[in-house]
């Protein structure tokens, strides 16, 4: 007997396919692979067919079912809803309605299902930012146990969890996986490489500021660059030195909880999140129980570093961004750099790279970008060892309130849209990487020069330093809405940054106090510290940190090309 089985044969044996007759649905699978996947897959064609055959067989008990799932509206999920869901139905016989709604609406639907027990959706793609919520409430299926027990018959032997790059963000302190990553994108610095490397512009900047124009390492340099470019006319275009958004809207909260505060230096050291104080300013004890958000309880949400973060954002928005930016939301502001009049952006969610590469205003005729992506600069309170940015990890989540058969059918779809067969092609469409095999795929080596550093970033060891909201946040839906409401008051000028943040941390503590009184999260829920004084906590090591007298540190930049070379 030849023990050196070929990969395809070995996979087929592992999936139990060699004794299974082919079904008519395999023709639909082959048509899908021919028309949609081609060679954009981490698997060989034979292995793709073996994986599709497994889905066909596993789906047989659920054929004819109609399943509803939901996700936010981004390019990746549009592809899933419009292309992959219909293909899955033809291949498996399970009809999928994949709704696309706003991210805030996804959280609202999820919260309603948690509170009512009504099965609104059979699966959610919701951010791993809710990991602390899911772990504490125990209302979602623990996928580690689900895959080993009730869901074993519908768990793909080729799932390969080790290939996923974001499972550390969807694993709770109990070591269990609660969510399966489906799309992942970082929040990086974006800038016009063509302008930053123009000899005349470089010389003028050097003469004015006394240092080289380059990727800003700190906020002082970002501020100088924003000032330098704002109002400048380049090739007949009036340029703005920064881009952001400020409308009082749920997405304004993400602008701050998505690591803006940790980039400023508000929290403690620690990766993937600061401990004991995280990027929301929430302190936890040694048992991961939240104990406060205001300085009087050891939190940092109203600390000098937090005030600095909000004041800088407002100042730069008013001085260096287009006048319309103050009235924009996340989704409205994202495409603006693609219009060709923005020099740099501190806070570029890489989910917007997909529309950027389709914008002639910021792309060269040969398909290479006029822009690049780099690590975001950090504020004056930031220290080595702190997280340096945010990474969104939209992840499949199965509620316990969903009946088993419906959860199983939805789980099959969740695995299909992230399968090794499909993921490379899906990632070419949405540019939201979740698998190492996809990032390393030859097709992305070929495409890398046209993606402005995105591939290099995801192949670099640095990528793990960008992380989602961690487990300090005990109830994401309840707490997240407090951010945009309170900080919106500061953005509009109705309150000072300090007053808005004092209200924010007090409101967060009220929610945590209610959770503590209700006892609904058991031993995992908040146990609030007694109030003392801010000064007492400010005198201790770590966050909250006392005010720095001169918040403008020495500006520092780095050559982009040298930075990328350091990643190799």
């Amino acid at each position: 007997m030849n023990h050196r089985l070929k990969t395809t044969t070995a996979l087929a044996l592992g999936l139990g396919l060699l004794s299974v007759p082919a079904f008519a649905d395999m023709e639909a699978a082959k048509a899908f692979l021919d028309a949609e996947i081609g060679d954009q897959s981490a698997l060989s064609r034979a292995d793709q067919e073996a994986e599709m055959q497994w889905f066909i067989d596993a789906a047989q008990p659920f054929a004819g079912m109609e399943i509803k799932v939901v996700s936010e509206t981004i390019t990746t999920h549009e592809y899933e809803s419009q292309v992959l869901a219909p293909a899955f139905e033809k291949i498996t016989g399970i009809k999928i309605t994949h709704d696309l709604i706003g991210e805030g609406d996804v959280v609202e639907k999820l919260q309603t299902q948690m509170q009512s027990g009504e099965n609104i959706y059979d699966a959610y793609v919701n951010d791993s930012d809710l990991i602390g919520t899911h772990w504490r409430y125990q209302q979602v299926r623990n996928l580690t146990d689900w895959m080993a027990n009730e869901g074993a018959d519908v768990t793909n032997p080729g799932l390969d969890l080790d290939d996923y790059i974001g499972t550390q963000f969807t694993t709770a302190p109990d070591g269990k996986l609660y969510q399966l990553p489906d799309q992942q994108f970082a929040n990086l610095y974006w800038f016009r490489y063509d302008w930053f490397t123009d000899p005349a512009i470089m010389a003028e900047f050097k003469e004015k500021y006394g240092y080289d124009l380059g990727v800003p390492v700190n906020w002082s340099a970002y501020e100088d660059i924003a000032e330098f470019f704002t109002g400048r006319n380049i090739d007949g275009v009036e340029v703005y030195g920064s881009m952001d958004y400020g409308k009082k809207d749920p997405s304004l909260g993400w602008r701050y909880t998505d690591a803006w505060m940790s980039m400023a230096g508000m929290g403690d050291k620690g990766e993937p999140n600061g401990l004991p104080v995280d990027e929301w300013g929430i302190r936890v004890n040694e048992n991961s129980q939240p104990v406060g958000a205001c300085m009087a309880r050891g939190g940092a949400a109203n600390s000098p570093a937090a005030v600095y973060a909000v004041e800088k954002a407002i100042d730069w928005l008013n001085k260096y961004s287009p006048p319309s930016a103050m009235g924009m939301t996340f989704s409205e502001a994202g495409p603006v750099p693609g219009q060709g009049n923005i020099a740099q952006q501190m806070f570029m969610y890489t989910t917007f790279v997909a529309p950027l590469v389709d914008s002639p205003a910021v792309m060269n005729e040969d398909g290479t970008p006029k822009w690049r992506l780099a690590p975001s600069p950090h504020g004056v309170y930031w220290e080595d060892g702190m997280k340096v940015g945010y990474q969104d990890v939209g992840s499949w989540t199965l509620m316990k309130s969903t009946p088993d058969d419906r959860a199983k059918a939805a789980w099959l779809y969740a695995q299909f849209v992230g399968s090794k067969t499909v993921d490379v092609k899906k990632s070419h469409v949405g540019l939201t990487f979740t698998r190492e095999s996809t990032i390393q795929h030859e097709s992305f080596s070929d495409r890398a020069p046209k993606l402005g550093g995105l591939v290099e970033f995801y192949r670099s060891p640095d990528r793990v330093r960008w992380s989602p909201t961690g487990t300090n946040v005990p109830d994401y839906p309840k707490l997240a809405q407090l951010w945009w409401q309170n900080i919106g008051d500061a953005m509009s000028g109705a309150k000072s940054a300090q007053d808005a943040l004092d209200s924010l941390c007090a409101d967060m503590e009220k929610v945590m106090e209610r959770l503590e009184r209700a006892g609904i999260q058991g031993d995992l829920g908040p146990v609030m510290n007694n109030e003392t004084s801010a000064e007492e906590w400010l005198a201790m090591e770590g966050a909250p940190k006392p005010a720095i007298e001169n918040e403008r540190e020495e500006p520092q930049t780095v050559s982009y090309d040298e930075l990328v070379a350091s990643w190799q």
Side-chain angles (χ1 to χ4, degrees):
M1 178 179 178
N2 182 1
H3 293 286
R4 295 168 63 190
L5 293 171
K6 292 183 179 179
T7 303
T8 302
T9 309
L11 180 62
L13 281 169
L15 299 178
L17 301 179
L18 294 186
S19 61
V20 178
F23 291 89
D25 296 319
M26 196 60 204
E27 295 308 310
K30 289 179 179 178
F32 166 70
L33 296 175
D34 288 339
E36 191 61 31
I37 302 301
D39 59 359
Q40 288 192 343
S41 174
L43 300 181
S44 68
R45 175 56 184 252
D47 287 348
Q48 294 169 31
E49 291 187 13
E51 188 163 63
M52 292 301 98
Q53 184 67 64
W54 179 85
F55 278 107
I56 291 166
D57 298 338
Q60 276 192 307
F62 315 102
M65 288 185 70
E66 296 188 10
I67 299 301
K68 286 186 66 177
V69 304
V70 68
S71 66
E72 65 175 305
T73 307
I74 62 172
T75 304
T76 296
H77 298 319
E78 289 173 346
Y79 178 71
E80 291 170 341
S81 178
Q82 297 164 13
V83 177
L84 298 182
F88 180 78
E89 180 181 351
K90 290 177 182 177
I91 293 166
T92 66
I94 300 171
K95 179 176 175 56
I96 299 290
T97 298
H98 186 148
D99 286 346
L100 302 172
I101 60 179
E103 184 183 352
D105 296 326
V106 174
V107 174
E108 183 181 335
K109 295 290 187 186
L110 183 69
Q111 186 178 29
T112 300
Q113 185 157 338
M114 287 173 62
Q115 291 172 345
S116 69
E118 176 191 356
N119 187 48
I120 301 172
Y121 285 102
D122 301 304
Y124 292 79
V125 181
N126 73 279
D127 285 357
S128 71
D129 296 338
L130 278 86
I131 183 64
T133 308
H134 294 326
W135 169 55
R136 288 184 175 90
Y137 279 113
Q138 292 291 305
Q139 290 198 31
V140 307
R141 283 174 165 88
N142 157 355
L143 295 179
T144 300
D145 293 344
W146 159 260
M147 290 186 290
N149 298 291
E150 302 97 319
D153 57 334
V154 288
T155 296
N156 181 6
L159 181 63
D160 192 4
L161 283 176
D162 291 340
D163 191 44
Y164 282 85
I165 64 172
T167 52
Q168 71 268 39
F169 307 134
T170 59
T171 300
D174 61 4
K176 305 288 188 178
L177 186 76
Y178 284 83
Q179 300 170 278
L180 181 71
D182 181 67
Q183 48 85 359
Q184 189 165 327
F185 55 90
N187 207 333
L188 299 175
Y189 171 75
W190 178 94
F191 70 106
R192 284 294 296 268
Y193 179 80
D194 56 339
W195 297 344
F196 276 52
T197 55
D198 181 288
I201 292 175
M202 293 173 70
E204 187 179 345
F205 183 89
K206 180 71 174 283
E207 182 178 354
K208 181 173 183 178
Y209 294 98
Y211 62 94
D212 291 332
L213 177 61
V215 174
V217 173
N218 55 25
W219 285 11
S220 298
Y222 182 88
E223 191 168 57
D224 285 347
I225 295 168
E227 178 188 63
F228 175 76
F229 277 104
T230 298
R232 186 170 293 269
N233 189 294
I234 301 178
D235 298 329
V237 175
E238 184 182 355
V239 174
Y240 293 93
S242 183
M243 181 60 204
D244 210 330
Y245 64 95
K247 185 176 182 179
K248 194 171 184 179
D249 169 86
S251 65
L252 181 62
W254 317 334
R255 169 68 181 73
Y256 289 89
T257 59
D258 289 359
W260 181 253
M261 300 304 221
S262 66
M263 288 159 60
M266 179 191 71
D268 274 314
K269 297 178 183 179
E271 295 176 2
N273 302 88
L275 282 174
V277 179
D278 71 350
E279 65 271 25
W280 287 50
I282 297 174
R283 175 179 287 272
V284 294
N285 63 19
E286 63 278 5
N287 297 317
S288 294
Q289 296 169 304
V291 295
C294 297
M295 288 191 291
R297 284 191 169 102
N302 63 337
S303 65
V307 173
Y308 159 80
V310 173
E311 288 181 343
K312 281 296 180 189
I314 295 171
D315 188 40
W316 295 341
L317 186 60
N318 285 321
K319 287 182 178 177
Y320 309 126
S321 297
S324 58
M326 183 61 83
M328 287 185 176
T329 65
F330 160 82
S331 57
E332 293 165 343
V336 171
Q339 296 171 8
N341 63 338
I342 305 298
Q344 62 172 356
Q345 182 166 316
M346 172 87 77
F347 214 70
M348 168 66 74
Y349 290 91
T350 58
T351 186
F352 290 114
V353 170
L356 274 173
V357 298
D358 291 331
S359 174
V362 293
M363 299 295 290
N364 296 309
E365 289 185 6
D366 64 357
T368 57
K370 297 177 180 179
W371 46 267
R372 296 292 188 274
L373 295 163
S376 295
H378 50 71
V380 69
Y381 291 87
W382 187 89
E383 303 169 80
D384 282 328
M386 294 182 65
K387 68 181 287 182
V388 293
Y390 175 78
Q391 197 152 186
D392 185 291
V393 186
S395 306
W396 287 103
T397 307
L398 302 176
M399 304 296 293
K400 288 182 178 177
S401 52
T402 301
D404 276 352
D405 59 340
R406 302 189 67 81
K408 285 185 174 185
W411 179 236
L412 285 170
Y413 175 67
Q415 294 172 96
F416 175 82
V417 299
S419 64
K420 285 187 178 179
T421 293
V422 167
D423 192 65
V424 171
K425 176 57 187 285
K426 185 178 84 169
S427 297
H428 272 292
V429 175
L431 299 175
T432 55
F433 301 109
T434 56
R435 285 186 175 273
E436 186 69 29
S437 57
T438 293
I439 296 166
Q440 301 300 336
H441 195 262
E442 183 180 0
S443 62
F444 276 109
S445 297
D446 296 339
R447 195 179 175 192
K450 298 183 177 182
L451 295 177
L454 181 66
V455 173
E456 289 85 349
F457 170 77
Y458 270 102
R459 287 179 174 178
S460 81
D462 263 10
R463 76 169 184 227
V464 299
R465 302 178 66 201
W466 277 252
S467 61
T469 296
T471 57
N472 284 24
V473 180
D475 191 316
Y476 184 97
K478 287 188 177 72
L479 294 173
Q481 61 186 316
L482 305 175
W483 282 74
W484 68 271
Q485 292 168 355
N486 282 290
I487 290 182
D489 289 339
M491 301 296 285
S492 68
K495 287 184 178 180
S496 69
Q498 183 70 69
D499 288 344
L501 291 169
D502 286 343
S503 296
L504 169 64
C505 76
D507 287 348
M508 286 201 288
E509 290 192 342
K510 287 174 186 174
V511 171
M512 291 190 284
E513 286 171 331
R514 288 200 298 270
L515 290 173
E516 181 179 11
R517 287 195 301 271
I520 195 170
Q521 296 181 337
D523 293 339
L524 306 177
V527 180
M528 302 299 284
N529 279 342
N530 293 325
E531 287 191 79
T532 55
S533 70
E535 289 69 28
E536 184 176 328
W537 286 97
L538 288 168
M540 298 182 191
E541 187 176 350
K545 303 169 186 177
I548 294 173
E549 186 174 347
N550 180 11
E551 291 182 333
R552 180 176 165 83
E553 60 186 318
E554 187 72 23
Q556 184 182 353
T557 57
V558 63
S559 159
Y560 174 78
D561 296 314
E562 291 176 11
L563 174 70
V564 173
S566 73
W567 285 345
Q568 305 304 317

